[in-house]
Amino acid sequence: MYRVASHDSIVPQSTARLSALVSSALDDSDGTFNAFREPIDSADRAHFQDSVEDTVEKAIKVQGSSRTLTASQECGLRVKAALLHAVHDGVEMVYSDGFTKCFARRPSQPWNWNFYLMPLWLVGVVVRYCILFPIRLALLVGGCSIILPTFFLLGLMLPPSQKLMLIQSKLISAICGLFVLSWTAVIRYHGHPPRRRPNQVFVANHTSMIDYIILQQHRPFASVSQRHPGWVGFLQNRVLSAVGSVSFDRKQTKDRKLVAQRLREHISKADNLPLLLFPEGTCVNNEYCVMFKKGAFELGAQIIPVAIKYNKIFVDAFWHSGHETFAQYLLRLMTSWAVVCDVWYMDPMDRLPGESAEDFSARVKRAICAQAELLEVPFDGYYKYFRPSERMINNVRRIIAASLLPLTNVHGHAARPARGAESARAPASSVRQRGTARP
């Protein structure tokens, strides 16, 4: 309910100002909306207008219960209701932003706030940073300095063959084992993956790049991943590609088509390493599970779901690439007490007769969410990397402006918008001719 004061003196001025703002928003003289001349979606506009009318009727009922409203007051109510409804929608969207929650790290709760816990916390900091971290770093660097040269020497000395690929995959698993050791990881594997055969694809929920490391150190996989710069990109191009892994740029359509073709060729051969995919396409905070891309489910292959759940008692394993580099992320893991994780190899799932790829992916996603106790949400994770286009923003502005304009075209008379999208494209000069003057 909106409490509205007397409007006899302020409505004409505020209406004139609003008319000027709306008219300038719809005025194409500056070329702002040259690209948006298509009609406004009638369903969106009707929904907005109906919501405004409901608000106005409630406000009029409250105001009218004590006295009769003048036409000027009713016009003011309609203008305020339209504006407040738009503001309410914006505030509600910010407050109930379920999409951003999927990529937010849970803030740590301080526990060292009193005099007898602070010394214990300081001792823990000294142990983690001055004792555990140097030992972990030395093991990781020392092990990689031996395994990586061996990996590259074998690639130079031996011709490409199935035997070479198997040896190199074992070396990659050894490197992943060093990373797991550097976090003092406690990983519990549940179930057993099925025997390798053609047309099999493993799919898992995605929290960080360490998902691949945790699975790879248990058994060799070939993976599909987003192309990264720096030393991570070097490992993708020079190490992982040797065992059949594929990296691509998600923004390039040509890359996506090439990847789909290479995946079909890879899974058709039983001698290749099992293929591991993360169909969410982005890292999620291990509390939610966003929409699975349908590409992996259009290959006609048997799907083996893998559920990964991290215990955040010591460290949050979620990696947000926009907030920290992978090196900073690894430093955070290596200076924690331990990474605790559960991995479930679930029963294979096949596409049912007549089932679409979208329905199949949703069914697999539900199974993973149920096993890992994740909240299932319908959002596309790729939206994390993109901002709303100017086209989308301006179209919403035009819907609101077109609904407000008829309310400002009268002198003290309330009128419900009755015209179609043509009123939204009316030039500012015609608005002024109908009696509304700029301040």
Side-chain angles (χ1 to χ4, degrees):
M1 301 297 181
Y2 301 104
R3 297 181 62 85
V4 182
S6 178
H7 307 291
D8 293 332
S9 59
I10 64 172
V11 168
Q13 292 94 347
S14 60
T15 303
R17 292 192 185 96
L18 178 61
S19 177
L21 291 173
V22 173
S23 299
S24 62
L26 297 174
D27 189 2
D28 286 340
S29 59
D30 60 354
T32 303
F33 292 102
N34 285 339
F36 312 108
R37 292 183 177 275
E38 72 278 4
I40 299 173
D41 190 292
S42 58
D44 290 341
R45 181 175 176 181
H47 172 72
F48 182 85
Q49 292 174 353
D50 290 342
S51 300
V52 170
E53 285 297 318
D54 291 341
T55 304
V56 170
E57 289 176 3
K58 293 178 181 178
I60 290 176
K61 184 178 180 180
V62 171
Q63 293 291 322
S65 61
S66 58
R67 56 188 172 85
T68 303
L69 293 177
T70 65
S72 178
Q73 288 174 327
E74 187 173 346
C75 179
L77 279 174
R78 292 181 181 278
V79 171
K80 283 193 173 185
L83 292 175
L84 290 174
H85 183 77
V87 172
H88 172 270
D89 284 349
V91 172
E92 184 180 34
M93 186 161 294
V94 172
Y95 177 76
S96 59
D97 183 9
F99 180 77
T100 305
K101 292 178 182 178
C102 301
F103 311 101
R105 186 184 303 157
R106 181 185 299 175
S108 59
Q109 299 295 329
W111 56 271
N112 57 346
W113 46 269
N114 57 28
F115 71 94
Y116 60 86
L117 289 178
M118 178 63 74
L120 294 176
W121 178 79
L122 291 175
V123 170
V125 170
V126 172
V127 171
R128 288 187 290 114
Y129 282 85
C130 300
I131 299 177
L132 292 180
F133 175 65
I135 295 175
R136 293 169 173 175
L137 184 62
L139 289 174
L140 179 61
V141 174
C144 289
S145 63
I146 296 173
I147 297 176
L148 281 177
T150 304
F151 181 93
F152 292 123
L153 283 175
L154 288 175
L156 292 175
M157 296 172 57
L158 300 179
S161 64
Q162 188 69 24
K163 184 177 181 180
L164 174 63
M165 185 184 68
L166 291 176
I167 295 175
Q168 289 181 324
S169 66
K170 294 294 184 182
L171 292 175
I172 293 175
S173 295
I175 295 175
C176 292
L178 288 173
F179 275 100
V180 171
L181 181 62
S182 70
W183 313 323
T184 321
V186 180
I187 306 172
R188 294 174 292 188
Y189 295 93
H190 309 271
H192 299 280
R195 296 177 60 87
R196 178 74 178 102
R197 67 179 183 82
N199 294 321
Q200 277 184 338
V201 176
F202 289 75
V203 300
N205 58 298
H206 198 24
T207 304
S208 166
M209 282 199 292
I210 70 170
D211 298 337
Y212 171 77
I213 296 175
I214 288 173
L215 295 175
Q216 176 71 24
Q217 70 100 27
H218 186 237
R219 62 168 297 171
F221 283 101
S223 67
V224 179
S225 59
Q226 161 70 13
R227 188 176 296 130
H228 293 274
W231 64 275
V232 176
F234 173 80
L235 293 177
Q236 287 179 319
N237 297 330
R238 302 295 182 181
V239 178
L240 298 182
S241 61
V243 295
S245 296
V246 179
S247 61
F248 69 101
D249 186 349
R250 62 167 58 92
K251 297 180 181 179
Q252 298 295 328
T253 305
K254 186 182 298 184
D255 276 11
R256 295 200 299 267
K257 293 180 179 179
L258 180 61
V259 166
Q261 180 61 31
R262 291 186 60 180
L263 294 185
R264 288 187 173 89
E265 295 173 358
H266 183 96
I267 64 175
S268 64
K269 301 176 182 178
D271 293 335
N272 289 336
L273 294 179
L275 184 63
L276 173 65
L277 297 176
F278 300 99
E280 287 175 291
T282 187
C283 297
V284 188
N285 63 6
N286 207 232
E287 296 178 7
Y288 298 86
C289 187
V290 299
M291 182 182 73
F292 278 12
K293 303 296 182 184
K294 65 178 182 179
F297 305 90
E298 293 179 325
L299 301 175
Q302 185 183 63
I303 300 296
I304 296 93
V306 181
I308 305 174
K309 183 66 174 180
Y310 293 93
N311 190 324
K312 301 181 181 182
I313 185 173
F314 295 123
V315 65
D316 188 349
F318 171 55
W319 177 48
H320 196 311
S321 58
H323 295 168
E324 59 184 348
T325 65
F326 192 62
Q328 293 172 329
Y329 171 75
L330 288 179
L331 177 63
R332 182 160 59 85
L333 298 185
M334 293 173 67
T335 54
S336 67
W337 287 111
V339 174
V340 183
C341 176
D342 285 276
V343 177
W344 290 270
Y345 292 104
M346 303 171 65
D347 294 334
M349 301 177 69
D350 294 291
R351 188 170 172 177
L352 301 177
E355 187 177 34
S356 65
E358 292 86 352
D359 293 338
F360 187 27
S361 66
R363 184 160 58 91
V364 174
K365 175 186 169 184
R366 285 194 297 271
I368 291 177
C369 289
Q371 182 64 70
E373 297 181 352
L374 304 175
L375 296 177
E376 184 181 357
V377 294
F379 306 123
D380 187 341
Y382 276 7
Y383 289 158
K384 166 184 170 183
Y385 300 98
F386 300 99
R387 293 179 60 86
S389 65
E390 287 296 322
R391 182 187 186 90
M392 181 184 300
I393 295 173
N394 286 331
N395 192 47
V396 174
R397 289 173 176 167
R398 292 172 66 244
I399 292 173
I400 297 174
S403 299
L404 291 175
L405 183 60
L407 301 178
T408 66
N409 289 338
V410 295
H411 293 292
H413 295 284
R416 178 170 180 170
R419 301 189 64 186
E422 291 79 6
S423 62
R425 299 194 299 273
S429 59
S430 64
V431 175
R432 291 192 293 271
Q433 289 174 1
R434 287 196 293 268
T436 304
R438 294 182 182 272

